[in-house]
């Protein structure tokens, strides 16, 4: 039985990756931070097979202890402060967790494995946010990075540190440059889930409007369940490498709104949407569209859920939750 350690196990991707690895027969260990993290309850209820370890990406010794306790074949570093808007207000903390946290995870792994450098395969959750002010369309593994947020800058640090540990020490360390991926498990602060939840509440008569920022921004949105499969595939390769993971399509927030409102039978959606300056960003990433040719060719990976299906499944899940009063 293979063993895996996941940081960020209480997040969206941690949930889907845990489910995937459990279905493949892995022994899964998840790192949870804080002395009374409310998300532990959810994890225990939904994924009781996941073994919980405590630790924090800012505390390298806690990571070494988690590695010693789980003795993993694969270490997935998904933990981060991941909300881009928040990263301007907390730039230093974001740099520490999302940037230096990667170095701490790599260094803890190096301490844990000692001379047996091939003992653990490492995955770093890099991001399309690193492309920021895009220098090429579509974006691939070789596109120049030009981050536009403290979060993006921190991810660039983690990305290059992962490559550096691979090149310096021969670690099997791969970096997945994942474009936006969503699901009913997405945090409600992100625009897709903010919309699906608001649409469900508006349809139920519980809310009368939704306030948003820049609805012309375009993203390459995929389904989180598809994307964790790409992470796993990266760690099954003989050689570690970096891969873009995307659908190769781009859509605006406006298009997301149209499909989401249409799903609940509302066609005049614009009368429910207000623009609020507080949701505009100091520097916007206007357009992201990935080129996942390498992942498709080398990993045999393909996204299965298309954009309209993604929107629909998120709205349906929130309609159901509103009906059951579980949100
Ligand atoms: P998420 O839902 O925001 O989850 C982030 C996770 O990181 C949570 O489990 C959180 O734990 C944990 N975390 C925060 N600070 C930590 C710390 N100091 N030490 C240890 N863990 C900490 O993010 P996600 O959408 O699942 O994304 C997973 C990873 O992929 C993140 O690194 C994100 O930046 C990256 N990424 C995401 C996307 C996307 O579109 N979803 C795209 C590209 C890259 P708590 O529950 O305690 O807060
Ligand atoms: O914003 C615009 C906003 O916060 C998407 C993270 O997972 O993906 C995510 O980062 C777009 C932006 O995601 C609102 O300005 C308009 O252009 O859902 P988001 P993100 O910033 O793209 C990347 C790949 C990651 O790595 C990150 O961790 O939508 N937008 N109005 C809004 N966004 C939000 N959140 N709220 C609004 O009201």
């Amino acid at each position: 039985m293979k063993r895996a350690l996941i940081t960020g196990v209480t997040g969206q991707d941690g949930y889907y990756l845990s489910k995937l690895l459990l279905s493949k027969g892995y022994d899964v260990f998840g790192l949870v931070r804080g002395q009374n993290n409310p998300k532990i309850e959810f994890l225990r209820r939904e994924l009781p097979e996941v073994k919980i370890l405590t630790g924090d990406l800012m505390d390298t010794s806690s990571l070494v202890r988690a590695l010693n306790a789980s003795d993993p074949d694969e270490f997935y570093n998904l933990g981060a402060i991941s909300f881009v808007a928040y990263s301007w207000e907390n730039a230093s903390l974001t740099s520490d967790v999302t940037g230096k946290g990667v170095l701490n995870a790599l260094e803890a792994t190096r301490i844990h494995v000692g001379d047996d450098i091939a003992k653990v395969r490492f995955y770093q959750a890099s991001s399309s946010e690193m492309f920021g002010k895009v220098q090429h369309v579509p974006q691939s593994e070789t596109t120049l990075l030009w981050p536009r947020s403290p979060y993006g800058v921190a991810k660039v640090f983690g990305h290059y540190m992962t490559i550096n540990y691979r090149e310096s020490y021969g670690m099997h360390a791969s970096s997945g440059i994942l474009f936006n991926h969503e699901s009913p498990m997405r945090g409600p602060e992100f625009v897709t889930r903010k919309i699906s939840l608001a649409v469900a509440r508006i349809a139920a008569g519980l809310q009368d409007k939704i306030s948003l920022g820049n609805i012309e921004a375009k993203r390459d949105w995929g389904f989180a369940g598809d994307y964790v499969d790409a992470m796993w595939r990266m760690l099954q390769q003989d050689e570690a490498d970096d891969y873009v993971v995307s659908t190769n399509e781009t859509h605006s927030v406006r298009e997301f709104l149209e499909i989401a409102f249409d799903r609940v039978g509302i066609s005049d959606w614009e009368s429910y949407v207000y623009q609020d300056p507080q949701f505009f960003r100091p520097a916007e990433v206007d357009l992201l569209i990935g080129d996942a040719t390498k992942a498709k060719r080398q990993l045999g990976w393909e996204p299965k859920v298309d954009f309209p299906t993604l929107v629909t499944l998120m709205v349906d899940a929130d309609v159901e939750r509103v009906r059951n009063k579980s949100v």
Side-chain angles (χ1 to χ4, degrees):
M1 187 189 266
K2 274 196 183 175
R3 300 157 75 90
L5 173 63
I6 303 173
T7 69
V9 72
T10 54
Q12 170 188 255
D13 291 6
Y15 171 78
Y16 284 101
L17 181 63
S18 296
K19 272 181 64 157
L20 177 79
L21 296 179
L22 288 168
S23 75
K24 291 182 184 295
Y26 278 63
D27 208 359
V28 178
F29 295 79
L31 189 88
V32 178
R33 73 186 170 121
Q35 67 181 59
N36 188 20
N37 190 325
K39 292 185 191 163
I40 285 190
E41 255 342 284
F42 175 82
L43 195 60
R44 286 207 176 108
R45 191 177 64 242
E46 297 298 319
L47 297 168
E49 305 94 329
V50 172
K51 298 180 179 73
I52 295 170
L53 299 170
T54 53
D56 195 300
L57 280 166
M58 290 167 74
D59 181 345
T60 307
S61 61
S62 77
L63 301 174
V64 174
R65 276 196 296 279
L67 281 155
N68 290 343
S70 55
D71 195 19
D73 303 286
E74 298 169 11
F75 181 11
Y76 295 87
N77 184 37
L78 310 185
I81 289 178
S82 77
F83 186 35
V84 173
Y86 175 92
S87 77
W88 275 281
E89 286 154 27
N90 299 273
S92 182
L93 181 64
T94 304
S95 304
D96 284 344
V97 177
T98 304
K100 184 150 180 275
V102 185
L103 171 58
N104 294 344
L106 287 161
E107 193 53 24
T109 306
R110 204 164 73 90
I111 292 168
H112 168 71
V113 300
D115 292 336
D116 189 5
I117 202 75
K119 186 173 153 67
V120 177
R121 294 184 173 194
F122 184 91
Y123 173 85
Q124 168 54 19
S126 288
S127 165
S128 56
E129 189 67 18
M130 301 190 305
F131 296 119
K133 188 175 173 185
V134 299
Q135 300 298 298
H136 189 263
V137 178
Q139 298 85 51
S140 73
E141 294 79 7
T142 54
T143 302
L144 181 69
L145 304 178
W146 197 303
R148 293 269 278 176
S149 61
Y151 168 82
V153 173
K155 280 288 178 189
V156 171
F157 176 85
H159 180 66
Y160 281 122
M161 203 48 94
T162 303
I163 294 171
N164 184 259
Y165 268 58
R166 183 168 77 221
E167 293 180 353
S168 302
Y169 306 115
M171 259 177 80
H172 194 293
S174 293
S175 175
I177 308 173
L178 270 53
F179 281 62
N180 297 55
H181 45 281
E182 319 292 315
S183 74
M185 301 300 295
R186 189 59 142 151
E189 65 273 35
F190 299 95
V191 77
T192 54
R193 183 76 202 296
K194 183 173 171 181
I195 294 171
S196 65
L197 195 50
V199 165
R201 287 176 55 81
I202 289 168
L206 299 171
Q207 187 174 326
D208 54 12
K209 63 168 186 160
I210 172 169
S211 300
L212 294 169
N214 174 20
I215 66 168
E216 308 308 334
K218 290 181 155 185
R219 291 290 182 275
D220 181 331
W221 276 298
F223 172 56
D226 288 344
Y227 284 36
V228 297
D229 175 50
M231 298 176 186
W232 174 77
R233 285 172 188 255
M234 283 177 218
L235 297 205
Q236 311 316 306
Q237 304 304 302
D238 290 340
E239 301 291 328
D241 207 340
D242 309 314
Y243 298 90
V244 158
V245 177
S246 63
T247 69
N248 306 6
E249 271 186 35
T250 193
H251 298 276
S252 62
V253 176
R254 174 182 288 277
E255 287 173 78
F256 196 104
L257 283 161
E258 274 166 14
I259 300 174
F261 274 100
D262 183 63
R263 182 67 180 170
V264 296
I266 296 174
S267 52
D268 63 334
W269 62 269
E270 277 165 310
S271 59
Y272 294 89
V273 175
Y274 291 79
Q275 293 208 298
D276 184 333
Q278 71 165 301
F279 297 116
F280 284 81
R281 297 179 176 180
E284 179 62 283
V285 172
D286 294 315
L287 164 75
L288 289 175
I289 177 164
D291 173 0
T293 305
K294 180 176 169 185
K296 289 180 181 181
R297 194 182 55 237
Q298 282 177 226
L299 305 178
W301 176 82
E302 280 287 341
K304 296 190 181 75
V305 177
D306 66 12
F307 179 67
T309 310
L310 174 67
V311 182
T312 303
L313 75 85
M314 289 183 72
V315 171
D316 288 357
D318 277 327
V319 166
E320 189 63 20
R321 285 167 169 153
V322 167
R323 192 176 292 136
N324 298 334
K325 298 190 170 63
S326 58
V327 272

